[in-house]
Amino acid sequence: MLHIEPLHPLFAARLSGLDLRQPPDDAVMQAVREAFERFSVLVFPEQAIDDDAQLAFSARLGPLEQTRAGANGAGGHLLVLTNVGPDGQIAPPTDRQVLNNRANRLWHADSSFKPVPARASMLSAREIPGQGGDTEFASMRAAWEAMPGPLRAGLRGRTAVHDFGWSRSRIMPELVTAAERQDWPPVRHPVVLDGPQGEALYLGAHARGIEGMDETEGRALIEEAMAFATQPRFVYAHRWSRHDLVLWDNRAVLHRATPFASSAERRHMVRTTIAGEAPRSAAAA
Ligand code: OGA
Ligand code: MN
């Protein structure tokens, strides 16, 4: 029996009573879709699934995004976030993959630098550290709703430029290759998304600037909005248990990784990503 239990006053819920190693029936899928729209972050505990089962469950939610060149799992539908090397040993802190994982510590929406960003992401905890390595989620619906009028007015109707090369080079300039810059030229997305569940702020780490504003002014506005929207009251911090499977709505939440002892403890996570339609801006008033 499917049981739904809220995890935070504003969003996020735990869905228990399912065994996702077997394909869920249509009634369960319908309940999952409804819970996803309502809660934005769904935690499915005790799902010891393999890659195939994860791919199959994800694909029931929509077409899967291809993993970009340069990422771990490129060309396929899995993205492997791990500090464990191909030899099964913990990779050194200089490892490119380990450095790439650091980029996830900034609040972001997955693939917001793509012309069609990710709608949803599904992350499976295969190995987790004893301490740290939590994932935090911030509700961009709740934050937008609570935002003071003048700040809302400054953001409404605006378009942001999302730029992968820029956001990666903030972590470390050498981290982004010429090929990656060429693959992902800057894209434009509305700052406020309008969906069936209402409006949500859409910014995050790749949002470089605001169209029609100079760089300094645009940065200041983005930073003010981000500081407001990621306050603790809008945040659900997920403390992972092994075999948790977490599904989130990139149109409704931002997320970030938190540190752990990555030279000493293993963390191995597998992500599938459900592609979006291009985000559309709120209808003109
Ligand atoms: C991701 C991500 C954060 C984490 O999978 O998209 O940002 O805690 N993960 O691993
Ligand atoms: Mn992410």
Side-chain angles (χ1 to χ4, degrees), residues 22 41 43 45 50 57 143 178 197 239 263 270 280 282-283:
Q22 310 303 324
V41 177
V43 176
D50 60 13
F57 180 43
Q197 308 299 315
R239 168 85 209 125
S263 306
V270 176
R280 273 166 299 163

PDB file of all heavy atoms in Angstrom, residues 22 41 43 45 50 57 143 178 197 239 263 270 280 282-283:
ATOM      1  N   GLN A  22       9.900  -3.867  -9.306  1.00  0.00           N
ATOM      2  CA  GLN A  22       8.851  -4.312 -10.234  1.00  0.00           C
ATOM      3  C   GLN A  22       8.224  -3.071 -10.871  1.00  0.00           C
ATOM      4  O   GLN A  22       8.078  -2.056 -10.202  1.00  0.00           O
ATOM      5  CB  GLN A  22       7.747  -5.064  -9.470  1.00  0.00           C
ATOM      6  CG  GLN A  22       8.253  -6.157  -8.546  1.00  0.00           C
ATOM      7  CD  GLN A  22       9.073  -7.183  -9.303  1.00  0.00           C
ATOM      8  OE1 GLN A  22       8.782  -7.504 -10.453  1.00  0.00           O
ATOM      9  NE2 GLN A  22      10.126  -7.687  -8.675  1.00  0.00           N
ATOM     10  N   VAL A  41       9.383  17.242  -4.307  1.00  0.00           N
ATOM     11  CA  VAL A  41      10.472  16.314  -3.975  1.00  0.00           C
ATOM     12  C   VAL A  41       9.844  15.065  -3.371  1.00  0.00           C
ATOM     13  O   VAL A  41       9.094  15.157  -2.393  1.00  0.00           O
ATOM     14  CB  VAL A  41      11.460  16.930  -2.951  1.00  0.00           C
ATOM     15  CG1 VAL A  41      12.546  15.926  -2.561  1.00  0.00           C
ATOM     16  CG2 VAL A  41      12.088  18.211  -3.491  1.00  0.00           C
ATOM     17  N   VAL A  43      10.650  11.214  -1.826  1.00  0.00           N
ATOM     18  CA  VAL A  43      11.654  10.272  -1.321  1.00  0.00           C
ATOM     19  C   VAL A  43      11.015   8.886  -1.281  1.00  0.00           C
ATOM     20  O   VAL A  43       9.990   8.684  -0.627  1.00  0.00           O
ATOM     21  CB  VAL A  43      12.108  10.677   0.096  1.00  0.00           C
ATOM     22  CG1 VAL A  43      13.089   9.648   0.662  1.00  0.00           C
ATOM     23  CG2 VAL A  43      12.720  12.083   0.092  1.00  0.00           C
ATOM     24  N   PRO A  45      11.940   5.418   0.060  1.00  0.00           N
ATOM     25  CA  PRO A  45      12.958   4.696   0.840  1.00  0.00           C
ATOM     26  C   PRO A  45      13.041   3.221   0.461  1.00  0.00           C
ATOM     27  O   PRO A  45      12.092   2.649  -0.089  1.00  0.00           O
ATOM     28  CB  PRO A  45      12.476   4.863   2.290  1.00  0.00           C
ATOM     29  CG  PRO A  45      11.010   5.119   2.193  1.00  0.00           C
ATOM     30  CD  PRO A  45      10.720   5.695   0.839  1.00  0.00           C
ATOM     31  N   ASP A  50      18.483  -1.583  -9.489  1.00  0.00           N
ATOM     32  CA  ASP A  50      19.666  -1.511 -10.335  1.00  0.00           C
ATOM     33  C   ASP A  50      19.406  -0.482 -11.446  1.00  0.00           C
ATOM     34  O   ASP A  50      18.335   0.127 -11.505  1.00  0.00           O
ATOM     35  CB  ASP A  50      20.016  -2.897 -10.896  1.00  0.00           C
ATOM     36  CG  ASP A  50      18.900  -3.502 -11.749  1.00  0.00           C
ATOM     37  OD1 ASP A  50      17.950  -2.770 -12.124  1.00  0.00           O
ATOM     38  OD2 ASP A  50      18.972  -4.711 -12.036  1.00  0.00           O
ATOM     39  N   PHE A  57      11.686   2.873 -14.511  1.00  0.00           N
ATOM     40  CA  PHE A  57      10.774   3.699 -13.713  1.00  0.00           C
ATOM     41  C   PHE A  57      10.820   5.155 -14.194  1.00  0.00           C
ATOM     42  O   PHE A  57       9.787   5.799 -14.400  1.00  0.00           O
ATOM     43  CB  PHE A  57      11.150   3.600 -12.229  1.00  0.00           C
ATOM     44  CG  PHE A  57      10.291   4.416 -11.303  1.00  0.00           C
ATOM     45  CD1 PHE A  57       8.907   4.453 -11.446  1.00  0.00           C
ATOM     46  CD2 PHE A  57      10.876   5.155 -10.273  1.00  0.00           C
ATOM     47  CE1 PHE A  57       8.117   5.215 -10.569  1.00  0.00           C
ATOM     48  CE2 PHE A  57      10.093   5.910  -9.397  1.00  0.00           C
ATOM     49  CZ  PHE A  57       8.704   5.941  -9.553  1.00  0.00           C
ATOM     50  N   ALA A 143       9.222  30.109  -2.135  1.00  0.00           N
ATOM     51  CA  ALA A 143      10.052  31.315  -2.044  1.00  0.00           C
ATOM     52  C   ALA A 143       9.459  32.439  -2.882  1.00  0.00           C
ATOM     53  O   ALA A 143       9.389  33.596  -2.442  1.00  0.00           O
ATOM     54  CB  ALA A 143      11.475  31.007  -2.504  1.00  0.00           C
ATOM     55  N   ALA A 178      37.130  23.667 -23.961  1.00  0.00           N
ATOM     56  CA  ALA A 178      36.661  24.440 -25.114  1.00  0.00           C
ATOM     57  C   ALA A 178      35.484  23.716 -25.766  1.00  0.00           C
ATOM     58  O   ALA A 178      34.513  24.340 -26.207  1.00  0.00           O
ATOM     59  CB  ALA A 178      37.804  24.625 -26.109  1.00  0.00           C
ATOM     60  N   GLN A 197       0.886  24.197 -11.167  1.00  0.00           N
ATOM     61  CA  GLN A 197       0.885  24.405  -9.714  1.00  0.00           C
ATOM     62  C   GLN A 197       1.179  25.847  -9.334  1.00  0.00           C
ATOM     63  O   GLN A 197       1.426  26.149  -8.179  1.00  0.00           O
ATOM     64  CB  GLN A 197       1.922  23.498  -9.043  1.00  0.00           C
ATOM     65  CG  GLN A 197       1.827  22.051  -9.409  1.00  0.00           C
ATOM     66  CD  GLN A 197       0.482  21.462  -9.011  1.00  0.00           C
ATOM     67  OE1 GLN A 197       0.003  21.689  -7.911  1.00  0.00           O
ATOM     68  NE2 GLN A 197      -0.117  20.725  -9.932  1.00  0.00           N
ATOM     69  N   ARG A 239      18.826  13.782   4.395  1.00  0.00           N
ATOM     70  CA  ARG A 239      19.889  12.928   4.941  1.00  0.00           C
ATOM     71  C   ARG A 239      19.681  11.544   4.323  1.00  0.00           C
ATOM     72  O   ARG A 239      18.668  10.890   4.577  1.00  0.00           O
ATOM     73  CB  ARG A 239      19.750  12.904   6.469  1.00  0.00           C
ATOM     74  CG  ARG A 239      20.560  11.870   7.173  1.00  0.00           C
ATOM     75  CD  ARG A 239      21.995  12.342   7.452  1.00  0.00           C
ATOM     76  NE  ARG A 239      22.893  11.201   7.487  1.00  0.00           N
ATOM     77  CZ  ARG A 239      23.996  11.079   6.739  1.00  0.00           C
ATOM     78  NH1 ARG A 239      24.344  12.013   5.892  1.00  0.00           N
ATOM     79  NH2 ARG A 239      24.746  10.022   6.830  1.00  0.00           N
ATOM     80  N   SER A 263      37.797  12.051   0.513  1.00  0.00           N
ATOM     81  CA  SER A 263      39.041  11.287   0.346  1.00  0.00           C
ATOM     82  C   SER A 263      39.038  10.037   1.212  1.00  0.00           C
ATOM     83  O   SER A 263      39.918   9.185   1.086  1.00  0.00           O
ATOM     84  CB  SER A 263      40.261  12.129   0.722  1.00  0.00           C
ATOM     85  OG  SER A 263      40.245  13.318  -0.012  1.00  0.00           O
ATOM     86  N   VAL A 270      23.519   7.363  -8.549  1.00  0.00           N
ATOM     87  CA  VAL A 270      23.205   7.217  -9.972  1.00  0.00           C
ATOM     88  C   VAL A 270      21.950   8.040 -10.283  1.00  0.00           C
ATOM     89  O   VAL A 270      20.927   7.895  -9.614  1.00  0.00           O
ATOM     90  CB  VAL A 270      22.994   5.740 -10.342  1.00  0.00           C
ATOM     91  CG1 VAL A 270      22.572   5.607 -11.803  1.00  0.00           C
ATOM     92  CG2 VAL A 270      24.269   4.937 -10.083  1.00  0.00           C
ATOM     93  N   ARG A 280       8.278  27.914 -20.175  1.00  0.00           N
ATOM     94  CA  ARG A 280       7.583  29.068 -20.757  1.00  0.00           C
ATOM     95  C   ARG A 280       7.367  30.129 -19.701  1.00  0.00           C
ATOM     96  O   ARG A 280       7.130  29.819 -18.544  1.00  0.00           O
ATOM     97  CB  ARG A 280       6.248  28.638 -21.336  1.00  0.00           C
ATOM     98  CG  ARG A 280       6.389  28.151 -22.771  1.00  0.00           C
ATOM     99  CD  ARG A 280       5.170  27.429 -23.193  1.00  0.00           C
ATOM    100  NE  ARG A 280       4.969  26.269 -22.334  1.00  0.00           N
ATOM    101  CZ  ARG A 280       3.834  25.623 -22.229  1.00  0.00           C
ATOM    102  NH1 ARG A 280       2.797  26.007 -22.887  1.00  0.00           N
ATOM    103  NH2 ARG A 280       3.730  24.569 -21.438  1.00  0.00           N
ATOM    104  N   ALA A 282       5.560  33.212 -17.632  1.00  0.00           N
ATOM    105  CA  ALA A 282       4.206  33.520 -17.209  1.00  0.00           C
ATOM    106  C   ALA A 282       3.513  34.307 -18.325  1.00  0.00           C
ATOM    107  O   ALA A 282       4.137  35.114 -19.006  1.00  0.00           O
ATOM    108  CB  ALA A 282       4.262  34.350 -15.943  1.00  0.00           C
ATOM    109  N   ALA A 283       2.246  34.017 -18.519  1.00  0.00           N
ATOM    110  CA  ALA A 283       1.488  34.733 -19.534  1.00  0.00           C
ATOM    111  C   ALA A 283       1.568  36.233 -19.257  1.00  0.00           C
ATOM    112  O   ALA A 283       1.540  36.674 -18.105  1.00  0.00           O
ATOM    113  CB  ALA A 283       0.036  34.275 -19.506  1.00  0.00           C
TER     114      ALA A 283
END
